Amino acid sequence: MSPLQKFWSKAREGLFRQTPPLFVVLGLCPSLAVTTAAINGLVMGLATTGVLLCTALVTLAIRKMVPSEVRIPVYTVVIASFVTIADLVLAGLVPPVHKVLGVFIPLIIVNCIILARVEGSFTKDQPIEVIGDALGWGLGFTWALLVIGTFRELLASGSVFGKVMMPEGFVPWSIMQTPPGAFVTMGFIVAVIQALRSYSAQRKKASVTGKASKQAEAEAA
Amino acid sequence: MVFKELVLLFIGASLVNNFLLARFLGTCPFLGVSSQVKGAASMGVAVTGVMLGVTLVSWPVYHLILAPLNLGFLQYIVFILVIASFVQMLEQIIKVLLPALYKAFGIYLALITTNCSILGLAIIMIQKDYNLVSSLVFALGAGAGFTLAMVIMAGIREAMDKDAIPVPFRGNSIILITAGIMAMAFAAFSGMVPM
């Protein structure tokens, strides 16, 4: 496999196949809390991506020196350091969004996605794969948060990224901005994904059995 | 007067700004460990205990060490270490002194380090600049609210197991929607404490 193929085979896993929190239930707290508007979801996703990538690079540099008994505390401190940096950077660059995200920026430390990637990939894969893995999972999380955020902002205020999108006379669903709206939206998104999955599984099954019966017919003929 | 404020703080932390349903802190155990009332109650009690303990340790660490030395920006790194070591220590102590309790709470304790409600509590308590007594009341309220929401959810889920739920909604989907309806009910408490 060429380096690019290795990179892509890792990146697509997080980008499309196991995108959290849509396809794998990881990192649910930030997904519910910060997706009141598209911009908040985007910033949260990018912050998580940045922390993932920096953690990946440092992990690559130190992983041979870290005894496996103390790896969890060591990597937790690495993550916490980059989260502190991300917190300060966001406070300087986008103060209004930083204020909305509030306590959820420091809580990236305990976001299970990051420690799961450290354990699942960063400590054992080749460097090119590790970077692909970090970017894939981070950007996957970003697009998922962006989708949920766009959906909620559209229904809650009729706009996306602050631009009015809904026709005049649209009555905003103000509940979408509140905690109940977050839980119910996420519940329906999970249900739609499950329905689509079982539908495609059934179609696959049908096409497989269909092919098999055709083959049997052809053999019989 | 002071007592009244503390009562309001408790109600605010447990009902009005419920950690699970209004602040979205600790959603993972809320979905993962809420299938039975007994387990949910154990998790709630364990979380409350850790919240009180972590408050007792991290408040002095911040106000007596970090703040005087102007190292406030280190708080996230310090708090996560305080939480991780506190939970580990508690696990060892309970294992030796109270084996029966360890059997009941053991697995929940290990999960608590990555429970974002603990780190969230420590950070909120510093942000709001509570004194030690207020912080402890806040932690107690947060833990009580967490336990309450966990137990209610587990009760609903036990009853829901017997229902015929449409296939796509089974599992996490129906739990999230139920949580949404519970959050609406808890939103009705919002008039109780002047914000």
Side-chain angles (χ1 to χ4, degrees), chain A residues 25 28-29 32-33 76-77 80-81 84 87 103-104 106-107 109-110 112 175 179-180 182-184 186-188 190-191 194-195, chain B residues 20-27 31 73 76-77 80-81 113-114 116 119-120 123 168-170 172-173 176-177 179-180 183-184:
Chain A
V25 183
L28 209 55
C29 297
L32 289 166
T76 307
V77 170
S81 318
T84 306
D87 188 50
V103 73
F104 285 95
L107 288 181
I109 301 171
V110 279
C112 7
I175 194 162
F183 280 117
V184 173
M186 200 61 212
F188 274 96
V190 172
Q194 278 186 17
Chain B
L20 281 172
L21 297 169
R23 289 190 199 263
F24 307 108
L25 294 171
T27 319
L31 299 188
F73 65 91
Y76 306 149
I77 303 173
I80 191 70
L81 286 177
T113 311
T114 50
C116 47
L119 184 62
I123 294 169
F169 282 95
R170 278 183 203 162
N172 283 327
S173 171
L176 283 163
I177 294 171
M184 277 185 226

Side-chain angles (χ1 to χ4, degrees), chain B residues 38-49 105 108 143-144 146-148 150-151:
Chain B
K38 206 172 159 231
S42 307
M43 184 70 180
V45 174
V47 165
T48 312
F105 289 114
Y108 303 110
F146 184 92
T147 313
L148 181 67
M150 286 285 286
V151 169

Side-chain angles (χ1 to χ4, degrees), chain B residues 26-143:
Chain B
T27 319
C28 299
F30 191 43
L31 299 188
V33 202
S34 62
S35 56
Q36 272 160 357
V37 173
K38 206 172 159 231
S42 307
M43 184 70 180
V45 174
V47 165
T48 312
V50 174
M51 276 178 169
L52 284 171
V54 165
T55 308
L56 260 181
V57 180
S58 57
W59 193 91
V61 165
Y62 183 83
H63 285 278
L64 302 180
I65 302 175
L66 293 180
L69 293 174
N70 249 335
L71 291 173
F73 65 91
L74 279 181
Q75 56 169 297
Y76 306 149
I77 303 173
V78 172
F79 285 171
I80 191 70
L81 286 177
V82 165
I83 292 168
S85 33
F86 182 82
V87 171
Q88 196 119 64
M89 204 176 68
L90 199 67
E91 213 181 327
Q92 297 301 324
I93 293 175
I94 294 181
K95 200 175 180 178
V96 175
L97 291 183
L98 305 157
L101 196 67
Y102 181 76
K103 248 188 169 168
F105 289 114
I107 53 160
Y108 303 110
L109 274 175
L111 289 174
I112 285 175
T113 311
T114 50
N115 182 336
C116 47
S117 60
I118 311 285
L119 184 62
L121 174 97
I123 294 169
I124 292 172
M125 152 194 113
I126 298 300
Q127 262 176 8
K128 300 229 165 167
D129 213 11
Y130 290 141
N131 63 28
L132 186 55
V133 178
S134 306
S135 297
L136 285 172
V137 172
F138 184 65
L140 194 64

